[in-house]
Amino acid sequence: MRTILVRPHKAGWQVFEAPGVGAFYVVGPKAKEYAIGYARERLKWSGGDVRVVDGAGNIEETITK
């Protein structure tokens, strides 16, 4: 099962999938929503979890697909 992290990064949000896989960055007023949507799409065919992490490293939300 894969786990994708959505976490704040500088001026936006970062979607981190795994070492060796390039991170995806989103900036703008709806960056968090877009980052979560992108992460959900990445799990569309394989399943897994999207974990939304706050600035302190705490898990805000877990979305199971």
Side-chain angles (χ1 to χ4, degrees):
M1 184 161 87
R2 294 188 327 181
T3 300
I4 297 178
L5 296 177
V6 175
R7 56 190 176 198
H9 182 76
K10 296 184 182 178
W13 286 79
Q14 176 190 57
V15 180
F16 178 78
E17 193 166 339
V21 178
F24 180 74
Y25 298 92
V26 184
V27 295
K30 293 188 177 187
K32 184 176 180 181
E33 294 171 36
Y34 292 146
I36 292 170
Y38 175 81
R40 289 178 132 182
E41 285 297 313
R42 294 288 295 164
L43 293 176
K44 191 173 187 175
W45 305 108
S46 63
D49 291 334
V50 174
R51 293 187 183 161
V52 181
V53 180
D54 65 14
N58 302 313
I59 297 174
E60 286 183 359
E61 179 182 5
T62 300
I63 303 164
T64 302
K65 194 74 174 160

